[in-house]
Amino acid sequence: MTVDRQATIFVAGHRGMVGSAIVHRLRALGYGNILTADRDQLDLLDQQAVRDFFSAHAISQVYLAAARVGGIHANDTYPADFIYDNLMIQANVIGAAHDHGVQKLLFLGSSCIYPRLAAQPMREDALLTGVLESTNEPYAIAKIAGIKLCESYNRQHDRDYRSVMPTNLYGPGDNFHAQNSHVIPALMRRFHLAKEQGDPQVVVWGSGTPRREFLHVNDMAAASVHVMELPPDVWARQVSPMLSHINVGCGSDVTIHELATLIADVVGYRGDIVFDPNQPDGTPRKLLDVSRLQRLGWQAGIPLKQGLADTYAWYVAHLDDVRAN
């Protein structure tokens, strides 16, 4: 299959961490016709606006990276927002893509789709085999619906809509909000402030024993484009009509205690790290089985400590901006 570098590609969510990395990756590979729209230009929650946008542009491919995302606190505090916004964004974009003849689409989900106590590492066929983690169940349900929406268009209309399920992502452009961010930016912000203020200790939520896998966003972008460029017959050999998603991760994990120690070292914080077991841990372990993706010819290339250093350098360089988030 010849890759068309002049295809009109709509990247939904290009201002987000993942979407911006995908745009950068596409441009680096020579794609010359990338379509984006800021929120004031296109509200993805507005079905008619999305349909009008697709009507106005001859779009060939879509990367659906737009989503409402957040950490445990945000998911637990705003469950209605997380399920409603994500369901609507997905339905609007995927539905409009089909109605306007877009044959190729990539949907970005999340590893939280898998059961809380799924066997480790989690294989794609663990989907819908058990109870989800309660703190992010609404978000997970929305992402599962996105997978099934893509599968249903493929089965009924012979579309080529592919789904990738990333592990925990981090990197430049992440959300460093004090309460609504994921674990890496949250810890990075707290260790940085503690260093600046001379605090003798930093308290970290939970016991520190849960294990998590982390993938740099630039690796995620590379994997996403790799998946989209695969010939249909190659892709079809690794998926099935009703199990069509692929895991994206690095294949290894660390404890939250180990992660906190790494971040403190990268930031240069020399105080004590104290864990609060009265706060929720979330899922005990989340490690993805990435053997399918490896068979498709891709594996992660950015080591965690290198990626953390890269992320911290970006955070310090954009300190005024990220504090306003």
Side-chain angles (χ1 to χ4, degrees):
M1 183 187 76
T2 302
V3 175
D4 182 6
R5 305 285 190 199
Q6 296 308 309
T8 300
I9 300 175
F10 174 42
V11 180
H14 77 288
R15 289 288 190 184
M17 177 178 67
V18 182
S20 61
I22 288 174
V23 169
H24 180 78
R25 179 68 177 176
L26 289 169
R27 286 175 175 160
L29 291 173
Y31 285 90
N33 197 3
I34 302 169
L35 182 64
T36 61
D38 292 333
R39 286 183 182 177
D40 58 351
Q41 298 172 305
L42 176 61
D43 179 3
L44 295 177
L45 294 171
D46 184 334
Q47 184 181 73
Q48 189 58 54
V50 174
R51 291 182 176 279
D52 290 345
F53 181 83
F54 274 81
S55 294
H57 301 90
I59 297 171
S60 300
Q61 299 180 24
V62 174
Y63 285 79
L64 180 42
R68 174 183 278 270
V69 298
I72 289 178
H73 175 81
N75 274 272
D76 212 23
T77 305
Y78 309 108
D81 294 345
F82 273 83
I83 191 167
Y84 178 85
D85 287 0
N86 285 298
L87 285 172
M88 293 300 292
I89 289 169
Q90 295 160 192
N92 289 343
V93 173
I94 297 171
H98 166 68
D99 288 345
H100 292 83
V102 177
Q103 181 63 12
K104 289 181 63 66
L105 179 145
L106 187 73
F107 170 67
L108 279 74
S110 167
S111 61
C112 72
I113 63 169
Y114 296 116
R116 183 178 189 273
L117 299 178
Q120 303 290 320
M122 296 180 289
R123 301 186 341 179
E124 286 86 352
D125 58 10
L127 182 65
L128 298 177
T129 62
V131 176
L132 298 166
E133 163 60 34
S134 60
T135 54
N136 60 14
E137 181 190 72
Y139 177 74
I141 291 291
K143 289 300 181 181
I144 293 170
I147 296 171
K148 294 304 178 182
L149 190 57
C150 288
E151 285 181 355
S152 298
Y153 277 112
N154 292 343
R155 292 168 57 208
Q156 185 175 339
H157 299 288
D158 199 29
R159 292 302 186 193
D160 186 4
Y161 293 176
R162 306 177 183 185
S163 298
V164 286
M165 299 298 115
T167 188
N168 301 286
L169 300 175
Y170 72 98
D174 210 338
N175 177 13
F176 287 82
H177 189 280
Q179 291 183 315
N180 295 337
S181 57
H182 288 107
V183 61
I184 284 181
L187 289 178
M188 197 166 282
R189 175 190 175 108
R190 285 158 66 188
F191 281 122
H192 176 81
L193 292 176
K195 181 182 75 169
E196 294 293 299
Q197 297 166 3
D199 295 338
Q201 69 176 32
V202 170
V203 178
V204 179
W205 273 27
S207 65
T209 59
R211 302 187 68 87
R212 293 292 182 270
E213 177 184 19
F214 297 98
L215 184 72
H216 194 282
V217 68
N218 289 347
D219 270 343
M220 182 62 205
S224 298
V225 178
H226 178 83
V227 165
M228 276 288 265
E229 289 185 344
L230 290 169
D233 61 325
V234 174
W235 173 255
R237 285 197 290 270
Q238 295 301 325
V239 298
S240 60
M242 296 186 70
L243 191 65
S244 66
H245 61 286
I246 289 282
N247 291 337
V248 182
C250 63
S252 62
D253 58 5
V254 295
T255 67
I256 296 300
H257 186 286
E258 291 168 332
L259 175 69
T261 302
L262 272 174
I263 293 176
D265 183 55
V266 165
V267 170
Y269 176 73
R270 304 295 177 231
D272 295 328
I273 304 173
V274 178
F275 292 86
D276 181 1
N278 294 315
Q279 299 297 335
D281 271 338
T283 305
R285 193 182 190 196
K286 285 176 65 177
L287 177 64
L288 293 179
D289 182 323
V290 294
S291 57
R292 282 188 175 183
L293 184 60
Q294 289 176 345
R295 288 195 294 270
L296 288 168
W298 189 90
Q299 62 183 15
I302 302 174
L304 180 57
K305 189 164 186 179
Q306 176 187 328
L308 291 173
D310 171 57
T311 304
Y312 183 59
W314 182 91
Y315 173 67
V316 171
H318 296 83
L319 207 52
D320 292 336
D321 296 332
V322 296
R323 279 183 172 171
N325 285 351

